[in-house]
Amino acid sequence: MKRIFNRRIAALFLVFCFISVGYSNCSNSGFSSLANVGSATSAAAGVGGTSTNPYLNQNALTLTVGCFADGYNQPCVNVTICLPGTTTCQTITNVLVDTGSSGLRVFSKSLNATMLAGLQNSTSTGECYAYLDGSYDWGGIVNADVHLGGETAPSVPMQVINQSFGDGGTACVAALKAQGMSPTFDDSSYNGIMGVSFLSQDCGSDCVSYSDNQVYFKCTGTSCASGAVALASQVVNPVALMPFDNNGVVLQLPSVSGGVASYIQGTMYLGVGTQANNTPVSSVATLSAISDTGNSCYTEFTTSWGGSTMCGFIDSGSTALTFPNISYAVDSYGNYNPTATVTASATNIGANGVQSTVSFSFASVDNISANDLVLGYWGVNSSAFSSTKFFDWGLPFFLSRTVYVGLEGKTSTLDSGSYGGLYWAY
Amino acid sequence: MRGKHLLFIVLFASSAAHATLGETDDSVSKDATALKATGLKQRAASVKASTTSALAESTSCYKATEMNDNGVTVIQYTDTNTNKVFAISYHGIRRANLQQLMGTYFSEYQSAADTSTQSKSARTKLRHPHTVKSSQVTVRAAGRPRAFKGLVTLDSAIPKCVTSVEDLQ
């Protein structure tokens, strides 16, 4: 179905190319931005009948690492949310940008009284969004207009993380305990988290099909039970609902001299190849993710490291490079602790067969100043806590790089449709 | 109503034990009933190989049964000689209901998980794959929201033909 849709809008794309001015990718890459154009075309009537992307250079957000105390290697942006269709808004600072999850979540404690009162949960839908470590976000689903840079996604389903919502998380915690987790309410230092993973919704079709999905809950007063939620009402990567520049994101961070800094700033761009500032250079390697749900590396690629092949993934929400040990010294926390900086390399292999060898360095982080929140050489030994080998390219991977992340069901200059939007490029 | 049903199981699991790990084959269908799972079916003898290495072709010593627990695919592996479940793997939108699937071994795992060193790291939240090993079972968890996966093994019961348990999936 997706491919049929893409073909249908391909014709529109060609028209768009001919009449648009300043659109950077029409001439050199064929059907390069179908999804964006699909939206652009439909949105054109609302912006005065012109097909030109009206958001040139408004798709950029300042991306900061070192935004708050103890926020080691946590990249943040500011996000402005508004009551739908109004100018009643609040700018949320220090929102973690996470390429490993989907959707916007803001802590209720970070919202002002006007927003708290105005963001109504009309359907009494709650969500139990759990991470692997047992931390979980419980709270109601609301709709808000989400402003990123100069662009706005209207009425985006998002979560207000609030431990007292509905039954106070009782049903959520019970479900997580049955799953073998030790649930702890996520009480992070940041004000919110914005998941910009290539998976669009945070649950997908299974939460439409199964009322007992144990992710979404329907609450009546202080009683909550698992319930089905339509795709359009699920928490979603807000970029997917932007009228333009909606086919992924680009994260760009500078290099860090000596591997350590207190604070750095880069840029997060909306869209991939939709305007000049987010257009990939020709040398990028595009690695598609494995889309077979039964594969042990689903939504990941494979990485060859130390003579083994394992699942690998790129995750801005992971604070370190995490990989199995070969023969390096490790401290009592599981951090690599070599006497001198080690430089090594591993090879990522996309589902599409594209291979990319990445050089990386790691060094001791034991004597780092508490003021240094950017740790470019931070490596963590996964063998200390996992018998399953994996390679997590966390935040240090993003330094001195431009990383492109696709979006489910959207095409771009890097993916004409065969990857389904599930790719990373760098 | 389904949610309430599961909550009931959660709260009273000890008295409603349809334990499966280490139990005989027929406990699998009891799990399916307790979890209100659908699509219960025998899988083909060959099991999908993971990326690490192809699973030895000697899958004749076990059989795999698959069910869908409301968005989570659960596969139980039974030793065809002993007729006992020796491993469970899953993938899906959340982690599998290990309390149901691990039966009497769940409490042993919980105790081990609580004392696990996985949260020792001072500067990072470990949203990474991790392994919790207790005296009899090994529980591996990985993935992220919408794409969780895991593997539970009753280590002493793994038949010899399984050369790499991590390839069970």
Side-chain angles (χ1 to χ4, degrees):
Chain A
M1 287 302 289
K2 285 171 186 168
R3 288 191 184 180
I4 291 168
F5 174 72
N6 288 339
R7 282 193 191 125
R8 188 185 301 158
I9 62 174
L12 297 172
F13 173 76
L14 290 175
V15 173
F16 175 70
C17 276
F18 283 118
I19 62 175
S20 69
V21 177
Y23 191 84
S24 60
N25 292 305
C26 292
S27 59
N28 60 10
S29 51
F31 300 148
S32 57
S33 293
L34 301 185
N36 186 56
V37 172
S39 300
T41 306
S42 61
V47 291
T50 172
S51 298
T52 305
N53 187 335
Y55 297 105
L56 292 179
N57 297 318
Q58 296 180 48
N59 62 333
L61 291 77
T62 299
L63 182 67
T64 306
V65 186
C67 355
F68 52 87
D70 296 332
Y72 296 99
N73 280 4
Q74 298 191 325
C76 302
V77 293
N78 291 348
V79 177
T80 299
I81 59 172
C82 305
L83 304 183
T86 76
T87 54
T88 303
C89 304
Q90 182 183 352
T91 296
I92 315 294
T93 59
N94 298 347
V95 175
L96 183 73
V97 174
D98 182 14
T99 63
S101 68
S102 300
L104 179 62
R105 299 160 212 286
V106 174
F107 288 94
S108 60
K109 66 187 179 189
S110 302
L111 292 170
N112 63 37
T114 306
M115 294 303 288
L116 266 180
L119 290 169
Q120 289 300 315
N121 184 326
S122 57
T123 58
S124 297
T125 301
E127 189 181 20
C128 181
Y129 197 70
Y131 302 91
L132 200 55
D133 62 356
S135 64
Y136 68 96
D137 295 331
W138 168 253
I141 308 304
V142 301
N143 287 73
D145 294 346
V146 176
H147 297 260
L148 298 176
E151 304 193 37
T152 303
S155 199
V156 178
M158 57 167 280
Q159 185 180 36
V160 176
I161 304 169
N162 179 1
Q163 199 164 15
S164 64
F165 175 79
D167 65 357
T170 303
C172 171
V173 167
L176 297 181
K177 282 185 175 172
Q179 293 167 32
M181 296 196 199
S182 304
T184 50
F185 183 72
D186 183 0
D187 196 18
S188 302
S189 302
Y190 41 77
N191 291 318
I193 179 167
M194 183 165 67
V196 291
S197 147
F198 48 50
L199 296 176
S200 190
Q201 289 85 14
D202 68 352
C203 185
S205 59
D206 281 334
C207 283
V208 181
S209 306
Y210 300 106
S211 59
D212 204 4
N213 57 68
Q214 303 286 322
V215 175
Y216 279 99
F217 289 75
K218 296 289 188 181
C219 300
T220 306
T222 57
S223 173
C224 299
S226 182
V229 172
L231 217 52
S233 300
Q234 292 183 15
V235 173
V236 62
N237 177 348
V239 176
L241 300 186
M242 292 289 168
F244 289 80
D245 305 312
N246 56 18
N247 60 348
V249 294
V250 183
L251 303 185
Q252 195 170 61
L253 286 172
S255 60
V256 175
S257 175
V260 175
S262 58
Y263 176 89
I264 57 169
Q265 284 194 325
T267 307
M268 170 174 146
Y269 298 100
L270 310 180
V272 174
T274 55
Q275 49 178 291
N277 65 15
N278 62 15
T279 294
V281 294
S282 59
S283 60
V284 300
T286 304
L287 282 73
S288 69
I290 292 165
S291 57
D292 170 12
T293 56
N295 189 296
S296 65
C297 300
Y298 172 56
T299 70
E300 301 170 346
F301 46 63
T302 55
T303 299
S304 176
W305 158 247
S308 299
T309 302
M310 59 204 75
C311 302
F313 51 95
I314 296 168
D315 182 9
S316 67
S318 295
T319 49
L321 302 177
T322 306
F323 50 94
N325 200 356
I326 300 174
S327 58
Y328 303 108
V330 175
D331 71 11
S332 61
Y333 295 111
N335 299 312
Y336 284 110
N337 194 29
T339 50
T341 302
V342 174
T343 297
S345 69
T347 300
N348 295 327
I349 306 143
N352 55 356
V354 171
Q355 299 197 7
S356 163
T357 298
V358 178
S359 175
F360 59 99
S361 298
F362 53 98
S364 173
V365 292
D366 283 1
N367 297 310
I368 301 278
S369 156
N371 293 325
D372 286 330
L373 297 177
V374 188
L375 308 176
Y377 296 158
W378 187 3
V380 170
N381 170 27
S382 70
S383 310
F385 51 83
S386 174
S387 63
T388 305
K389 290 179 177 175
F390 67 93
F391 206 118
D392 178 356
W393 298 97
L395 194 279
F397 174 82
F398 289 80
L399 301 176
S400 193
R401 269 201 177 81
T402 303
V403 179
Y404 305 81
V405 186
L407 196 44
E408 195 174 13
K410 304 286 182 75
T411 54
S412 74
T413 49
L414 299 174
D415 173 18
S416 61
S418 52
Y419 310 150
L422 275 54
Y423 69 87
W424 290 277
Y426 53 88
Chain B
M1 289 304 288
R2 281 182 167 184
K4 285 180 182 172
H5 183 82
L6 187 58
L7 186 60
F8 177 84
I9 293 168
V10 167
L11 294 174
F12 300 100
S14 57
S15 61
H18 299 299
T20 62
L21 193 66
E23 296 211 349
T24 54
D25 194 21
D26 60 354
S27 66
V28 175
S29 59
K30 290 180 184 170
D31 282 334
T33 305
L35 294 169
K36 295 191 183 300
T38 56
L40 185 66
K41 65 183 178 193
Q42 191 84 27
R43 280 164 64 100
S46 64
V47 175
K48 191 189 295 286
S50 81
T51 55
T52 47
S53 64
L55 184 66
E57 289 300 317
S58 51
T59 50
S60 56
C61 74
Y62 70 86
K63 62 181 179 181
T65 309
E66 177 180 317
M67 67 179 84
N68 186 328
D69 173 15
N70 301 284
V72 181
T73 299
V74 177
I75 304 162
Q76 305 204 47
Y77 303 87
T78 309
D79 183 333
T80 46
N81 290 320
T82 63
N83 199 32
K84 282 188 175 176
V85 176
F86 67 90
I88 300 159
S89 71
Y90 66 86
H91 58 265
I93 55 172
R94 61 175 188 282
R95 291 177 66 170
N97 187 327
L98 298 186
Q99 183 162 36
Q100 173 67 32
L101 297 168
M102 291 178 68
T104 54
Y105 297 99
F106 185 68
S107 57
E108 174 191 315
Y109 154 69
Q110 272 191 312
S111 306
D114 289 343
T115 56
S116 161
T117 56
Q118 59 179 286
S119 58
K120 262 175 68 179
S121 182
R123 291 196 179 109
T124 185
K125 282 191 164 187
L126 286 181
R127 292 178 178 176
H128 296 313
H130 56 258
T131 302
V132 176
K133 199 168 173 52
S134 57
S135 62
Q136 297 173 91
V137 292
T138 303
V139 176
R140 302 159 183 82
R144 58 188 64 81
R146 200 176 146 178
F148 286 109
K149 57 198 173 186
L151 174 67
V152 179
T153 51
L154 179 57
D155 296 324
S156 65
I158 298 169
K160 285 197 174 71
C161 81
V162 178
T163 54
S164 171
V165 290
E166 304 220 349
D167 287 341
L168 296 173
Q169 57 177 294

